[in-house]
Amino acid sequence: MAIIGIDLGTTNSLACVCQDGRAVLIPNSLGENLTPSAVSVDENGEICVGAVAKERLISHPEASASSFKRHMGTNKTFTLAENDFTPQELSSFVLRQLKEDAERYLGEEVTEAVISVPAYFNDNQRYATKEAGRLAGIHVERLVNEPSAAALTASRISGEEEGSYLIFDFGGGTLDVSVVDYFDNVIEIVAVSGDNRLGGDDFDEVIARSFCAHHHMDYDGLDQQKKATLLRLSEKCKRDLSEREETVLVWEAEEKKMPLNNLLLAGLSQNLLDRISQVVDTALRDSARSIDEIDEIVLVGGSSRMPVISLYLQTQMKRKPGMVASPDEVVAMGVGIYAGIKERKQDIKDLVLTDICPFTLGVSVVNYVDNDNPIMSAVIERNSVLPCSRTAHYTNSCDNQCQIEIGIFQGESYYCQENLKLGVIEMEILPVKKGEACLEVRFTYDIDGILEVEVTDCRTKQMRRKVLASENLRLSEEEIESRLEELRTYKLMPCGGIRTKIVMARGERLYAQTLGVRRQQVSVMMQKIQKAVASRNDQLIAKCLKEAEDIFDRLEEW
Ligand code: AMP
């Protein structure tokens, strides 16, 4: 049974397997390596994942969802066609699809996986990712931080095992910059920095706003559908600029145009570029490395393809970022290689991936100035190497106290209430004078980012242990089992009809987006496909689909 590596991304997900010491990306049923991380519930109650769901985001927004990775570890629910799902349940559908695709590709059952997560993912988000794996019927062997995976790929491809890497991961909605060392077969994240509100989508919005300003339109006043259409056109325009120097944004329905080139885009995005620069500076500063000590800049994430970005990095860092592999695939290949190591393949030598704890973990202590506003006392500091175990001692704050409540927090703020509360441990103590009790608090944070807290009363040796989390965000064993049962009733769409589904979903979107003759063209084509499907004539279906794809391509060109 193979172990696969999965890059469960915000926009796209990929699966990879290690064969003969090489990372091999696993194509989905459409032959593509990237499966959009989108889920939709269709009219028959079947779950579609990937390209079909991505099309349905526009034509059936009420039944579809994407970007749920951003809400992992929170109790947000998504309602898709009157079915409620948590972010981890939606992620589990994506994982189930990747598992099925991998099983078809490999011809064997896949029950284990290594999944990548952002280095800054907190305890809840990591736990939710593991839960998503479980709900998909996958045992999650290990969570690997995305920058570690990227460094692993970079070192394998460049053949230069040793070195310091700056991993620049720029996706649709987030920027993560990490400094990773790879020496003596140990991969160590030295520093991470990021902005989780900065991504390629911001560049789409900059273009869309500029288009509106150009045509004296009010961007914020556009209705939801128009905004979505304009953003989609802007994104296309942005992607065009990765291939050629200039392009034109044409909004057919509004009969409006705007020329754009990379220089103009750089000017429009100056604010965003400044924010990027701040994140890079923080990562370098935290790592105590100068840019001259970095051996390679590794570009990760779809937005790294923008020439505006690579040129900006080149001027800021006075060197050209290398392109070790496609930016979308770097992380997936790394987890694939790591999955190979896990399987103990002969041709890969053992490797240690150390991670750092990207945030501080600590307990609440009394604030003598403001009793209601406890202060954070750090037990494990940010950037500590994992696994790590630290002990701290605390005492009682008033005479004859019989019980001590120890709040466990995560974050960098001085005041606990501004940090994330992970849980509480309550401890009975013998009543003594203020300052005479002695409690030993041990934090053990493991390689998967799971935190265990032990509190021992030094006098009585009484001990309480807890695996900590925001309890209300976690499911009990029984709840997981019952949810597993329920989720099994949702069937993934069989891959045979997926191409038809995609073309039809695309038709529905184009129908919504066009008017007049073009809309009629779409409608005629869709009816033709439906008739062909009803006839069950495979040749006719294939012919109609090809014809529709050509027409739809041309309509999109327009
Ligand atoms: P990711 O989250 O890594 O999949 O990245 C998604 C982001 O990358 C989206 O904002 C896309 O618009 C952007 N993107 C993907 N391909 C390109 C490209 N060729 N040029 C510019 N941006 C791209």
Side-chain angles (χ1 to χ4, degrees):
M1 265 185 289
I3 304 183
I4 59 168
I6 294 178
D7 171 6
L8 185 61
T10 310
T11 327
N12 293 297
S13 295
L14 301 92
C16 184
V17 68
C18 194
Q19 289 178 331
D20 305 323
R22 279 184 44 244
V24 178
L25 293 163
I26 299 175
N28 60 25
S29 61
L30 299 168
E32 284 156 6
N33 294 337
L34 263 67
T35 297
S37 307
V39 173
S40 186
V41 179
D42 78 0
E43 297 69 28
N44 309 320
E46 272 180 350
I47 302 285
C48 15
V49 172
V52 183
K54 189 177 170 189
E55 290 292 355
R56 288 174 58 88
L57 279 170
I58 294 191
S59 57
H60 299 83
E62 73 300 334
S64 318
S66 66
S67 297
F68 30 84
K69 178 175 172 180
R70 289 197 195 143
H71 303 280
M72 286 292 259
T74 70
N75 43 21
K76 179 176 168 71
T77 45
F78 290 80
T79 308
L80 276 64
E82 293 170 13
N83 302 275
D84 287 342
F85 298 109
T86 61
Q88 48 269 49
E89 286 167 355
L90 291 174
S91 300
S92 82
F93 291 132
V94 176
L95 291 175
R96 221 160 99 181
Q97 185 69 59
L98 295 174
K99 169 178 146 80
E100 281 188 12
D101 289 340
E103 287 174 341
R104 199 181 44 252
Y105 180 78
L106 297 169
E108 59 181 312
E109 201 185 354
V110 172
T111 50
E112 285 183 40
V114 178
I115 301 182
S116 57
V117 287
Y120 61 81
F121 249 26
N122 67 30
D123 193 28
N124 287 331
Q125 292 164 310
R126 284 167 197 269
Y127 193 89
T129 307
K130 287 196 146 186
E131 203 175 278
R134 236 183 116 176
L135 293 171
I138 299 174
H139 171 66
V140 182
E141 253 295 309
R142 191 182 156 174
L143 302 176
V144 170
N145 285 329
E146 289 168 3
S148 307
L152 188 52
T153 307
S155 72
R156 291 285 149 140
I157 291 185
S158 67
E160 304 264 340
E161 291 240 320
E162 310 256 287
S164 284
Y165 297 88
L166 185 124
I167 314 291
F168 183 88
D169 184 350
F170 199 25
T174 52
L175 169 67
D176 300 305
V177 178
S178 323
V179 176
V180 182
D181 276 356
Y182 188 173
F183 293 109
D184 301 328
N185 231 19
V186 175
I187 295 187
E188 184 174 332
I189 301 184
V190 189
V192 286
S193 170
D195 186 334
N196 60 7
R197 292 185 199 284
L198 178 59
D201 302 352
D202 294 294
F203 285 80
D204 305 344
E205 194 180 317
V206 158
I207 298 173
R209 283 188 183 277
S210 158
F211 181 89
C212 286
H214 194 78
H215 291 289
H216 309 291
M217 295 162 69
D218 173 19
Y219 174 80
D220 294 308
L222 292 177
D223 69 39
Q224 215 188 343
Q225 189 139 26
K226 278 196 173 167
K227 209 180 248 180
T229 307
L230 180 57
L231 284 173
R232 203 178 162 101
L233 292 170
S234 303
E235 198 225 343
K236 186 175 175 301
C237 207
K238 176 187 75 178
R239 284 172 179 253
D240 282 351
L241 288 178
S242 303
E243 322 244 291
R244 55 187 111 117
E245 201 32 57
E246 49 195 344
T247 185
V248 181
L249 198 170
V250 184
W251 196 355
E252 268 287 306
E254 300 282 319
E255 296 183 0
K256 291 183 169 80
K257 291 182 184 181
M258 181 182 79
L260 192 65
N261 61 37
N262 275 316
L263 200 64
L264 280 171
L265 181 58
L268 293 172
S269 337
Q270 197 51 53
N271 268 347
L272 301 178
L273 297 175
D274 289 344
R275 282 168 65 192
I276 290 174
S277 174
Q278 279 173 18
V279 176
V280 173
D281 287 349
T282 309
L284 284 173
R285 203 173 46 240
D286 280 5
S287 70
R289 303 274 193 289
S290 75
I291 187 61
D292 299 332
E293 291 168 279
I294 299 290
D295 296 298
E296 191 155 11
I297 300 168
V298 183
L299 296 181
V300 183
S303 303
S304 294
R305 291 179 193 273
M306 293 169 67
V308 166
I309 298 297
S310 41
L311 270 175
Y312 184 71
L313 287 177
Q314 193 172 337
T315 28
Q316 291 285 304
M317 303 175 81
K318 299 177 192 66
R319 73 171 61 192
K320 222 175 167 160
M323 184 72 94
V324 291
S326 157
D328 306 309
E329 298 171 351
V330 180
V331 169
M333 290 170 80
V335 268
I337 295 167
Y338 191 75
I341 293 167
K342 272 275 153 198
E343 268 189 317
R344 303 218 170 275
K345 291 257 167 92
Q346 294 297 306
D347 44 2
I348 293 180
K349 56 183 171 179
D350 259 8
L351 169 92
V352 181
L353 284 192
T354 72
D355 288 334
I356 56 162
C357 176
F359 32 70
T360 299
L361 293 160
V363 298
S364 54
V365 293
V366 172
N367 176 350
Y368 288 102
V369 183
D370 178 1
N371 239 324
D372 296 332
N373 199 6
I375 295 167
M376 176 92 169
S377 164
V379 179
I380 293 180
E381 296 263 47
R382 180 184 73 213
N383 287 356
S384 306
V385 175
L386 299 183
C388 105
S389 189
R390 299 263 191 284
T391 310
H393 292 90
Y394 297 94
T395 187
N396 51 337
S397 57
C398 37
D399 292 341
N400 299 325
Q401 206 176 330
C402 304
Q403 197 182 44
I404 289 192
E405 202 174 84
I406 298 167
I408 319 288
F409 289 84
Q410 172 183 301
E412 310 310 317
S413 291
Y414 178 68
Y415 295 109
C416 288
Q417 63 179 11
E418 288 162 18
N419 291 325
L420 175 73
K421 185 167 189 176
L422 298 175
V424 178
I425 293 188
E426 278 166 8
M427 193 80 186
E428 307 283 330
I429 55 165
L430 296 175
V432 284
K433 283 213 169 109
K434 172 181 166 182
E436 283 185 359
C438 169
L439 290 176
E440 183 179 277
V441 176
R442 174 185 291 278
F443 275 37
T444 308
Y445 199 63
D446 78 6
I447 202 85
D448 285 335
I450 305 293
L451 173 69
E452 197 176 277
V453 177
E454 269 176 22
V455 183
T456 312
D457 184 333
C458 306
R459 289 181 178 211
T460 61
K461 300 292 173 214
Q462 191 201 346
M463 197 253 285
R464 302 213 53 185
R465 178 185 296 143
K466 215 168 194 181
V467 176
L468 274 153
S470 292
E471 281 88 353
N472 54 354
L473 295 179
R474 298 215 171 163
L475 298 181
S476 66
E477 279 302 306
E478 298 85 68
E479 281 170 322
I480 289 189
E481 279 309 317
S482 94
R483 206 53 193 137
L484 254 172
E485 274 305 304
E486 278 175 53
L487 289 183
R488 276 191 201 113
T489 63
Y490 288 100
K491 294 275 173 281
L492 287 188
M493 186 188 290
C495 66
I498 278 194
R499 187 168 165 221
T500 314
K501 277 273 182 190
I502 290 185
V503 176
M504 287 299 283
R506 195 172 163 201
E508 284 183 49
R509 168 173 59 79
L510 284 168
Y511 186 89
Q513 290 175 328
T514 52
L515 289 172
V517 184
R518 280 173 197 137
R519 177 174 254 195
Q520 241 173 337
Q521 238 180 326
V522 176
S523 157
V524 168
M525 215 42 253
M526 288 173 72
Q527 287 172 40
K528 226 169 155 178
I529 297 172
Q530 279 170 321
K531 270 196 204 145
V533 170
S535 77
R536 293 173 186 268
N537 178 337
D538 286 343
Q539 260 181 328
L540 184 64
I541 298 175
K543 190 166 158 263
C544 283
L545 290 177
K546 174 81 185 67
E547 191 184 341
E549 280 165 348
D550 289 345
I551 289 181
F552 293 172
D553 280 349
R554 252 177 290 143
L555 280 175
E556 272 179 6
E557 281 282 299
W558 277 326

